[in-house]
Amino acid sequence: MKIKALLVFLFSIIMLSAFIKAKKDPRPNIILVMSDDQGWGQMGYYNHPFLKTPNLVKMAENGLRMDRFYAGAPVCSPTRASVLTGRANDRSAVFAHGYPMRRQEKTIAQALQKAGYETAHFGKWHLDGLKGPGVPILAEDSRSPGSFGFMEWISVTNFFDLNPLMSHKGEINEYSGSSSNVIVNQALDFISGHKKDPFFVVIWYGSPHDPWSALDTDKSDFSANMEEKKKDYLGEIVEMDKSIGRLNRKLEEMGLAQNTLIWFNSDNGGVPFGGPEGVGGLRDFKGSVYEGGLRVPCIIQWPKVIKPNQISSYPASTMDIFPTIASILNLSQDVFIKPIDGNSIEHLFQRKPPSLRKAPIPFKYRNKGALIDNDYKLLVENIEKKKYALYNLNKDKTESIDILADFPEKAKEMISYYENWLLSVEKSLHGDDYDGGLLEKDPEPEFWWNKKEYAPYLQNWKDRPEYSKQLEEALKKTDK
């Protein structure tokens, strides 16, 4: 009896210790939020002529606004790979939109799951090699969010709009409402059920990617003379902004806001339809390695640590997200596939950050590239032909004055760094970064309606507005 009583006592002590540890767990909850095709200038705090984004403005006032933050690439899939891995997109073979990420990569979700976090993904995925409007990810998809460390996921392959079809871990459901509301509501349901555990939640919007379709309430404040298509386009940002406000309010109500780190950014630069004001007067748009294609809005909010009204011009990128979070949580370096291209920017969360970035930020997108070294930017107009230009972004925001010939030593230094980096990327492509080398050939991206796994759904989906155009052609070919 004494032994039994002692075991009961010890078990009670263990359970009490676990409870106390859970109550005092200092680890932050982490939410990564990413918009789709939102330009650098499409924020209320940059005085956009039509958009107010009051909730994003409030979030910036409550945290750290990053004025020189860069997407890992000028299009979506590569940037998403860079967020999850901390590596430049070509290392994981995500060369452009729709390319699948290698299954041998290690992700931030896998690292945090092992560290005791509840992990979840909501919204756009676009890392499984499927092109075309977003459709539910099938259960047998070997590159689903679940394959890369997300324990819970309600996701689609690509962009999505009103009343979307989505996949809950392979189960297909239709959700009512705007896409932004849908995924934030699902994320909040998940958070509500995991309040006692540290959680890692990824919310990847489908807005404001085309085809634009906004609710009337989200475009009512725009001028009656504005083109309807533009109202829908801007209305998607209004809708997204409202959902971010609701996310923050609910976190407050649940008592989670103080120790929840929210990192918001866009996946690439703005689209031409948004005009020069959409990219804040920067040069060019999505798909370009000029600033308009790479520089994106970014806010980091963590009330427990980051003081309000912080604004930084320190250059950083989506490749820094994983290393920063790993640094905050003191994770071991084996959570990464090496080499990584990002660096921790945790030091920016304090009031006295260093003024200069030590390691340049490299980019490669198809045959173009760039290297950002604080104020200087090497623009690689053609990698094969070694066609370079050099800009001082501090003095030349629009990248209109090439100073390559005026600063030969700086140009030589940056070109040498970039070309050596390209050699490293080439080794990654050959599989040198993985134990045992590359285990499978990289598949080419393809349209989902051409895959046999989706054939049973084509007839049922052909009348849905988001798929009707594509499926009309696909079914004609099938009939033949």
Side-chain angles (χ1 to χ4, degrees):
M1 291 296 292
K2 289 183 179 180
I3 294 175
K4 185 177 180 180
L6 179 61
L7 289 174
V8 170
F9 174 75
L10 291 174
F11 179 75
S12 300
I13 292 294
I14 292 170
M15 292 302 293
L16 180 61
S17 299
F19 176 76
I20 293 171
K21 181 181 179 182
K23 295 289 284 185
K24 295 183 177 181
D25 195 334
R27 295 176 297 174
N29 302 306
I30 299 163
I31 305 176
L32 303 184
V33 183
M34 190 153 63
S35 56
D36 191 3
D37 283 6
Q38 183 183 13
W40 182 74
Q42 290 175 322
M43 301 289 272
Y45 53 70
Y46 289 139
N47 299 314
H48 189 280
F50 310 120
L51 286 168
K52 305 304 179 188
T53 63
N55 294 291
L56 285 166
V57 170
K58 182 178 180 181
M59 188 173 162
E61 291 171 347
N62 289 336
L64 172 64
R65 187 181 102 191
M66 301 288 291
D67 282 353
R68 284 193 61 202
F69 190 79
Y70 295 90
V75 293
C76 58
S77 299
T79 294
R80 292 164 201 280
S82 75
V83 170
L84 295 183
T85 66
R87 288 153 54 88
N89 52 286
D90 270 28
R91 293 193 191 275
S92 58
V94 187
F95 307 111
H97 93 279
Y99 276 80
M101 188 167 73
R102 285 176 171 170
R103 291 188 290 184
Q104 289 177 260
E105 289 293 315
K106 292 182 179 180
T107 72
I108 184 173
Q110 291 166 335
L112 295 189
Q113 183 182 352
K114 290 178 182 176
Y117 276 71
E118 299 290 332
T119 61
H121 176 273
F122 302 96
K124 179 174 177 175
W125 180 238
H126 218 197
L127 288 169
D128 57 358
L130 297 178
K131 298 171 70 174
V135 287
I137 299 169
L138 301 182
E140 60 266 32
D141 192 326
S142 63
R143 287 180 171 82
S144 71
S147 302
F148 288 104
F150 292 99
M151 303 158 70
E152 173 75 355
W153 51 277
I154 300 177
S155 312
V156 292
T157 57
N158 198 354
F159 55 84
F160 58 115
D161 286 289
L162 296 176
N163 305 318
L165 281 178
M166 305 186 76
S167 172
H168 181 198
K169 297 197 287 189
E171 179 184 338
I172 298 173
N173 297 304
E174 182 173 8
Y175 295 82
S176 298
S178 67
S179 61
S180 296
N181 286 335
V182 165
I183 60 172
V184 168
N185 288 341
Q186 296 300 323
L188 286 169
D189 285 346
F190 174 83
I191 290 168
S192 178
H194 295 85
K195 290 185 291 187
K196 296 180 181 179
D197 307 304
F199 55 78
F200 172 63
V201 170
V202 169
I203 300 173
W204 283 353
Y205 289 108
S207 294
H209 196 293
D210 69 338
W212 303 299
S213 180
L215 297 172
D216 289 340
T217 53
D218 294 325
K219 51 186 179 178
S220 59
D221 289 341
F222 299 124
S223 168
N225 298 324
M226 184 182 289
E227 180 186 354
E228 196 64 27
K229 182 179 178 183
K230 191 159 192 172
K231 289 183 184 179
D232 277 315
Y233 168 55
L234 298 174
E236 287 203 8
I237 301 177
V238 171
E239 160 207 315
M240 181 184 69
D241 180 75
K242 289 180 179 178
S243 73
I244 288 170
R246 188 168 66 261
L247 174 67
N248 275 300
R249 287 192 301 274
K250 292 297 184 181
L251 289 172
E252 285 280 0
E253 290 173 11
M254 287 187 264
L256 300 172
Q258 279 297 308
N259 199 29
T260 296
L261 187 161
I262 305 178
W263 194 317
F264 170 86
N265 59 269
S266 180
D267 66 344
N268 49 246
V271 296
F273 187 70
E277 69 272 14
V279 292
L282 301 174
R283 181 172 175 177
D284 226 333
F285 302 95
K286 174 183 177 178
S288 166
V289 290
Y290 285 104
E291 292 290 284
L294 287 173
R295 196 189 298 194
V296 295
C298 176
I299 304 166
I300 308 172
Q301 177 182 280
W302 185 10
K304 183 179 178 181
V305 173
I306 300 174
K307 301 299 181 184
N309 292 304
Q310 302 296 302
I311 300 175
S312 176
S313 58
Y314 184 90
S317 84
T318 53
M319 292 176 279
D320 296 332
I321 294 175
F322 189 1
T324 301
I325 291 171
S327 174
I328 291 168
L329 299 177
N330 293 313
L331 301 182
S332 64
Q333 287 296 299
D334 64 7
V335 300
F336 301 106
I337 293 287
K338 298 290 188 72
I340 59 171
D341 300 289
N343 292 274
S344 172
I345 60 168
E346 184 185 2
H347 58 275
L348 296 182
F349 299 172
Q350 309 304 320
R351 284 191 175 271
K352 295 181 180 180
S355 58
L356 296 176
R357 183 182 177 105
K358 294 180 180 179
I361 306 173
F363 306 89
K364 182 181 181 296
Y365 174 61
R366 297 191 183 276
N367 195 36
K368 300 179 289 185
L371 184 69
I372 291 175
D373 186 7
N374 294 292
D375 288 343
Y376 290 97
K377 179 177 179 181
L378 182 72
L379 198 289
V380 191
E381 299 176 19
N382 188 304
I383 290 174
E384 289 182 358
K385 295 181 179 179
K386 297 188 175 183
K387 189 177 180 181
Y388 300 106
L390 184 67
Y391 301 100
N392 186 320
L393 297 176
N394 185 43
K395 299 178 180 179
D396 180 22
K397 176 183 173 182
T398 59
E399 297 169 282
S400 55
I401 304 170
D402 182 1
I403 59 172
L404 190 79
D406 300 323
F407 294 85
E409 289 302 314
K410 186 62 180 178
K412 181 180 178 182
E413 170 195 321
M414 293 185 71
I415 290 170
S416 176
Y417 186 101
Y418 188 76
E419 291 183 350
N420 283 327
W421 177 78
L422 284 177
L423 294 175
S424 170
V425 171
E426 192 65 27
K427 290 180 179 179
S428 297
L429 279 175
H430 288 308
D432 290 10
D433 302 346
Y434 310 121
D435 292 337
L438 192 61
L439 298 181
E440 61 181 345
K441 184 180 178 181
D442 296 319
E444 291 292 322
E446 58 182 319
F447 291 104
W448 54 263
W449 53 83
N450 291 328
K451 288 184 69 70
K452 63 180 182 179
E453 291 86 353
Y454 281 95
Y457 303 98
L458 302 189
Q459 282 293 340
N460 290 336
W461 294 352
K462 65 181 176 61
D463 295 325
R464 292 186 64 90
E466 66 267 47
Y467 310 141
S468 58
K469 181 179 178 181
Q470 291 84 0
L471 293 190
E472 181 181 357
E473 294 299 319
L475 290 170
K476 281 181 182 178
K477 293 178 183 179
T478 303
D479 292 339
K480 293 178 180 178

